[in-house]
Amino acid sequence: MFKRIKNKFIRYIAFGIYFLIVLVCAIQLNFLGLFGYSPTKKDITMPNVNISTELFTADSVLIGRYFDEDRNPVAFDSISKNVINALVATEDVRFYKHSGVDFLGLGSGIISTLTGDKRGASTITQQLAKNLYRTRYNKSVGLLGRIPGIGLIVTKFKEWMTAYKLETRYSKAEIITMYLNTVSFSNNSYGIQTAARRYFSKNASDLSINEAAVLVGMLKGTTMYNPMRNLDKSRERRNVVLLQMQKANYIDQAQVETLSKEPLVLHTDNKDVHAGEDSYLRAAVERWLEKWAEDNDRDIYRDGLKIYTTINSKLQKHAEEAVAKQMEVLQRRLKNAWGDEEPWRDLSGKVIPGFIENLAKKTDYYKYLTKKYDNRTDSIDFYLNQKKQMEIFSWKGERLREKVQMSTMDSIKYYVTMLNTGVMSMDPYSGEIKVWVGGIDHQFFKYDHVNQSKRQAGSTFKPFVYLAALESGMTPCDQVQDKPVTIKIDKGDSIEVWEPKNADWNFSYREMSLRWAMARSVNSITVQLTEKVGADKIAEAAHRVGIESKLNPVPSIGLGPNDVSVFEMVNGYSTMMNEGERLTPILVSRIEDYDGKVIATFKPERKQVVDKQDAWLMTYMLRGGMEEPGGTSQALWEYDLFAKENEIGGKTGTSSEYVDGWYMGVTKDLVTAVWVGCDDRNVHFKNSQTGEGSKTALPIFGLFMEAVYKDKSLGYTQGKFPAPTVEITKKYKCVTPRPFREESLSDSTAVDDGVDLEDIGSGEVIQEEGAETPEGDVDMGALSTEQDVVATKLRDSLDNVG
């Protein structure tokens, strides 16, 4: 065909054009798999950009992000002109004159590089093509791409083709906007808006010439010129960008001289940036939406969604502040209680031998040392006890951080004695969760103590016994005598006898109304009611109102030996507050797509599970903790909570050996649960004066509600509980016998609800019946499951070893 062309020069040109056409078609079609994937017209029309999802409170405060790449795209007019000028001057000075591939610029770029003026040869459009479509990734390279030299030519040619397609589809403004929204600025910051927030705590539209020069300068090497890591190098690179801007006539020499002398000042404390960091709430919503995302083919890490939670940011802040204030006090109290004694004790109060050593053996660091030193104990012990610098959680440190010299063994001892907490507050009428505090610090303690951790409920479980009693036909005024109780347990080949005791180990022999008995948390009456109603009925009632954990229907069920979560307890108490209608608690109210269109809303499921009369009577009985003589909630009088005849109900709880402290608080608007304890159940308080729920958990509720009522912007007012909406036919206005003398019931008011599981008699009997008690040996399985106290943060030790 080409031989017919007589002019040799034209023949060569025709052959070249023909070859180019064939090559383009072959690359586009990936002929015989030689060239790999090339972006299609659809790819160019709908470029795939991963956008971070943002997490908001109900009052629109940003509290978190989900992302593979932290990116928040902005429009062209939301980018400072300084950034556009710096980018064009440094990366592609002929950007507005070429059509994607600048062959003139390619030649001059090579010459400039050889003369010391380092400027890239690729255009901005080519770089965008590479960023968007990964033309140099292995999966985009065909068989020819594996041949050195040939592969580079093929991928570069594909970049040219893709750049040309981009130029024919988009304007210059759109191309430069896409580029700045996709490029990486290190520290997991993708796009100019995220970078502006992370490094300078401002929007991309507000960046100064120098700030723009810093960020554009990073594009040459995000590690070498990262201002957080290498401030001097970053400043030098900034000044190079300023010179390029002068050459391109964007700024004059006087500006360069002035700007290049300015110090490089970063502002990295932007709260929106830190919202991208992990937190209990962020992790909880992530778990919450796992199934939704799968069912709806959504990716919360890439789709740029806006997720609105039910959390109120001000309530959340008040709860977190209450936790911080009380937990610091409690941590000091726990340390002072034991002094120089070792606090890890078995049920008999004896120190558990080898406790710390057993914990150490469960760490990755120990496994590493065992392998490296072939199980030689002397070498392993040496490194386990070698002190090194590490950052630890500390109530004394700045931002709860403290740098110390500690060995691995020291850090295990330190963390295993650290108290933690879980707090949740919910609107019982809407099912909306308003507060979620999963622990004292998510960076150091990953395990969420609201819905992942389950602990013995202690006496906070008793209201479910009284609910079952009301459902059996009893009334709040029915009388039961506080007296010794003997329970015979058939073990098959033998009969075990259990004689539960009250908190003060005494019995008053008084007739007490159900309301008074629950208010004073009398164990003997709780057990009598359990025997009368049936443990299985109590378990069924608890499950019906919101407890989903397995409950062993043993005689001691009312004293709280079963493990439950803070989340479940809030749900259970909320059902009673909500006239017996059980709501499925919701943490997310709605989800919007990137364009602001609502794509999902969430409402609670509702089911009437308790008779309205019995439910209202239970809220009335919960008020007894404040209103009845010797009620266990009366430490709340210390807080400013009782103006305008405000009514508060609640129940304290303490598990065996003061391991778990609970408080369940109910007001006319909120149901709140607080749990306090160490993650390892073998570490706990020493006695009732320091370790029971009224001393540990109740003050957090008191501080929280005090702050809530003082914050008038929240709209939560003090006042009485809602009146019943149905006729109350059961007698409930019962009179407590007067005069009432505290000594008549010994000092049980001082002991609150006491050591519930210890007080029920033989620990062995209850253990056989299914009530869990702290084990004598270290339960590393529990430690790893509830929260690997060691492994989550003590990896600092491993990082410092070769």
Side-chain angles (χ1 to χ4, degrees), residues 13 42 75 81 135 160 164 216 219 327 385 398 450 564 570 581 594 611 622 659 670 672 690 713 715 772-773 797 802:
I13 292 177
K42 181 179 179 181
K81 190 66 176 177
T135 51
W160 290 348
Y164 178 74
V216 170
L219 299 178
M327 292 302 292
N385 288 282
E398 183 181 357
V450 169
V564 295
V570 170
E581 185 182 36
Y594 182 68
D611 178 79
L622 284 169
V659 172
L670 295 170
T672 305
T690 55
S713 66
E772 183 173 334
T773 55
S797 304

Side-chain angles (χ1 to χ4, degrees), residues 17 178 237 347 455:
I17 292 173
M178 281 194 287
R237 178 61 185 166
L347 286 175
R455 302 297 286 254

Side-chain angles (χ1 to χ4, degrees), residues 27 30 33-39 43 48 50 69 129-146 151 154-155 158 302:
I27 291 176
N30 190 20
L34 295 173
F35 302 99
Y37 175 79
S38 292
D43 293 328
N48 181 24
N50 296 337
E69 300 172 348
K130 182 175 66 177
N131 292 341
L132 284 178
Y133 307 112
R134 310 293 196 257
T135 51
R136 295 188 182 183
Y137 276 27
N138 289 333
K139 66 180 180 180
S140 300
V141 177
L143 297 175
L144 291 178
R146 294 184 171 88
V154 170
T155 54
K158 285 161 68 176
R302 301 183 178 186

